[in-house]
Amino acid sequence: CFGTARSRPRPRPQPMRCAAPSCSQRLLFRRRCRVRRWSTASSEGKEACGVGEPSGFAKRKWRKGGGRPPSHSPSAPPAPSPLCSGAASSSPLILRSIDCHAGGEPARVVVEGLPDIPGETMYEKRRYCMENLDHLRRLMLEEPRGYPCQNANWIVEPCSEEASYGYVILEQGKIYPLMSGHNTMCVATALLETGMIPMESETVEFKLEAPGGLVAIRAKCDPSRGTVDEVCIEGYPSFVALEGVPVQVPELGTVDVSIAYGGMWYVIVDAKALPSGPLDLRPENGGTIARLGEMIKIAAREQHPVNHPDLDYPGPDILVFTAEAHGPAEAAGAGAGGRRRDGLGAIRRRNTVVMSNGELVWSKPETWTGMLDRSPCGTGTCAVMAHLYSKGELELNQDFIHESVVDSVFTGRLLREVEVGGFKAVVPEIAGRAWVTAYTELFLDPTDPFPSGYTVGDIWAT
């Protein structure tokens, strides 16, 4: 199912020289997928789940030959089996994934075992997943198989002729972003390092298709080791919808925020300008950052709702605190996907993104919390760059270095101006690196008492 594995000679096992899996380990994973595809499931279960035949990512013949797979009509979706709908079944569910992290934030890239996902556009596929397969998102991201900061990406057939693969992004709180930078870095790395996209040179360019549209990828690779050293992404046009609007936050007071789109809708908050005093964006302050950020975000959503002018994507759905950079000169990721270029007039800032992992209820203070993105956040970087540009603090083609709460780094720049629904927007580019952390097979036995995950209030906002 991983395309080039048959044509590529298997190298002799090499001593481990780094944390990345050796070529022989990656090839073993590919061979297992080819030989053992759904070997433990009955043919009845496979057909009912719509995975009796390899799904879009596995049909590499149509990509090698330049053709496309048969499209799936959204008017006649395959009937889901009891297993896929979360009901009882005699067959186990097996999902195979490549687990990665980019800048410290994890993501599961699921390449096998998913039911058929119909839709004529990736946006329609996203909506189908939201309405019909959210129990599988919960299965993968919630306990006992996930944890609050886990993310997932489902590799599916693309709808555009230009794309090598499509992917649907899944996050906590039933959030299905149109785009995610760190998830895209993980997807591109997983596809390249498993051979699903051939790593034929030191620079590999291709396009992926996310629910928000095509994403141009330029990856710097080391074919001799089979690794990806940097993923550069051209993001979606980013713009500021609201600048400096007041938000009344219970028990906190008035907070001035801006709301910008960078692939998701971000509430942008100056960490040093809170009524409660400056907020230091360090890991040890994570509990306070998550609590204040979630409260401000929900209050902003209630008082200043926004929607994308071209897509039905309401917000804001995420928040970013911004601050002056901490350094150090060689932060984690710099020089290894960070592309540090301070000597060329780069701007360096620090940020922490707050995401939901439950539902905030104002009458229940125990729900006033969220979780922090461990990475510098790709779409957050795009939104922050657009905000700085609107204030005249960042120029086109000026390098922007973004630190995360754990000191990992993404870099970016703004390429050109465009217009989106009457808004003055900019097209961003971001770069970073992802690392493969595991090749996994996620099982759901039909007798498992937790077929769609669960949350507990000790670490979840439940």
Side-chain angles (χ1 to χ4, degrees):
C1 70
F2 290 105
T4 60
R6 290 186 183 275
S7 59
R8 183 181 302 174
R10 183 184 183 186
R12 294 179 180 177
Q14 300 291 323
M16 294 296 287
R17 294 187 294 270
C18 63
S22 66
C23 292
S24 58
Q25 288 175 305
R26 284 190 290 269
L27 286 170
L28 176 61
F29 180 79
R30 299 173 208 168
R31 180 175 289 110
R32 288 176 64 203
C33 281
R34 290 201 307 273
V35 173
R36 297 180 55 204
R37 179 181 295 122
W38 281 91
S39 58
T40 58
S42 69
S43 58
E44 252 179 48
K46 289 184 280 186
E47 289 174 9
C49 259
V51 292
E53 295 296 324
S55 51
F57 63 86
K59 298 177 182 175
R60 286 304 288 166
K61 293 178 184 176
W62 44 262
R63 281 298 163 215
K64 286 183 178 179
R68 300 195 69 246
S71 61
H72 300 288
S73 169
S75 60
S81 73
L83 172 68
C84 295
S85 61
S89 169
S90 60
S91 302
L93 172 67
I94 306 172
L95 299 174
R96 293 191 171 98
S97 71
I98 300 101
D99 289 6
C100 307
H101 82 83
E105 183 73 1
R108 282 179 164 158
V109 182
V110 182
V111 296
E112 187 170 1
L114 293 168
D116 190 26
I117 300 175
E120 294 184 347
T121 65
M122 287 302 304
Y123 187 83
E124 289 181 2
K125 289 177 184 284
R126 166 185 174 269
R127 181 161 296 281
Y128 180 87
C129 293
M130 293 175 67
E131 295 175 352
N132 300 278
L133 299 176
D134 192 63
H135 61 283
L136 292 183
R137 178 195 62 81
R138 294 186 59 202
L139 175 75
M140 299 183 62
L141 302 189
E142 295 181 0
E143 296 185 66
R145 298 166 183 83
Y147 87 114
C149 288
Q150 186 60 274
N151 305 269
N153 301 270
W154 291 351
I155 305 302
V156 300
E157 295 178 8
C159 299
S160 170
E161 296 280 355
E162 299 180 58
S164 298
Y165 292 95
Y167 62 113
V168 178
I169 308 161
L170 307 92
E171 297 184 354
Q172 301 288 0
K174 201 176 181 179
I175 292 177
Y176 290 73
L178 298 182
M179 168 61 174
S180 167
H182 108 271
N183 277 292
T184 301
M185 292 175 191
C186 290
V187 168
T189 298
L191 295 177
L192 283 162
E193 293 197 6
T194 56
M196 294 171 67
I197 291 178
M199 191 184 294
E200 296 173 337
S201 63
E202 293 183 353
T203 301
V204 182
E205 296 185 359
F206 55 95
K207 290 182 180 179
L208 298 174
E209 189 174 13
L214 289 171
V215 182
I217 306 291
R218 184 174 68 255
K220 295 181 180 179
C221 306
D222 184 347
S224 65
R225 295 178 60 243
T227 59
V228 178
D229 297 329
E230 180 182 85
V231 177
C232 185
I233 302 165
E234 183 173 305
Y236 295 160
S238 304
F239 56 91
V240 177
L242 296 173
E243 173 69 48
V245 295
V247 175
Q248 302 296 325
V249 184
E251 296 193 9
L252 182 60
T254 302
V255 180
D256 288 335
V257 310
S258 297
I259 299 177
Y261 178 81
M264 298 178 71
W265 280 111
Y266 284 84
V267 178
I268 301 177
V269 183
D270 185 345
K272 68 177 183 294
L274 297 175
S276 55
L279 189 58
D280 194 2
L281 305 183
R282 295 186 182 275
E284 57 266 32
N285 298 329
T288 301
I289 297 170
R291 181 175 183 273
L292 295 179
E294 190 70 7
M295 292 170 65
I296 296 169
K297 178 183 68 180
I298 298 303
R301 181 188 302 165
E302 293 171 349
Q303 298 169 34
H304 301 287
V306 291
N307 204 338
H308 195 280
D310 297 333
L311 297 166
D312 183 18
Y313 189 80
D317 50 356
I318 200 164
L319 176 142
V320 55
F321 284 115
T322 64
E324 295 300 315
H326 286 184
E330 290 299 332
R339 293 199 311 172
R340 290 197 67 249
R341 295 171 291 195
D342 298 71
L344 301 179
I347 291 178
R348 190 179 185 109
R349 295 287 174 88
R350 191 173 184 85
N351 90 105
T352 301
V353 164
V354 180
M355 305 175 289
S356 300
N357 68 5
E359 181 181 359
L360 185 147
V361 180
W362 290 116
S363 61
K364 298 179 178 180
E366 64 271 18
T367 67
W368 299 359
T369 188
M371 59 190 180
L372 306 186
D373 191 333
R374 274 65 174 153
S375 81
C377 189
T379 53
T381 299
C382 295
V384 169
M385 288 195 296
H387 184 232
L388 291 173
Y389 183 77
S390 72
K391 298 192 298 179
E393 297 179 18
L394 182 68
E395 299 177 4
L396 294 179
N397 297 307
Q398 183 177 15
D399 293 326
F400 180 68
I401 302 168
H402 221 193
E403 300 173 0
S404 78
V405 70
V406 297
D407 292 330
S408 57
V409 169
F410 289 165
T411 59
R413 58 169 54 188
L414 300 175
L415 303 179
R416 58 189 179 274
E417 286 187 1
V418 293
E419 185 175 304
V420 177
F423 291 100
K424 182 180 179 181
V426 282
V427 176
E429 177 184 79
I430 53 173
R433 184 176 182 181
W435 286 263
V436 173
T437 58
Y439 296 93
T440 64
E441 291 183 339
L442 185 150
F443 287 83
L444 173 61
D445 188 276
T447 63
D448 193 318
F450 304 111
S452 60
Y454 63 84
T455 61
V456 179
D458 56 343
I459 62 173
W460 300 83
T462 185

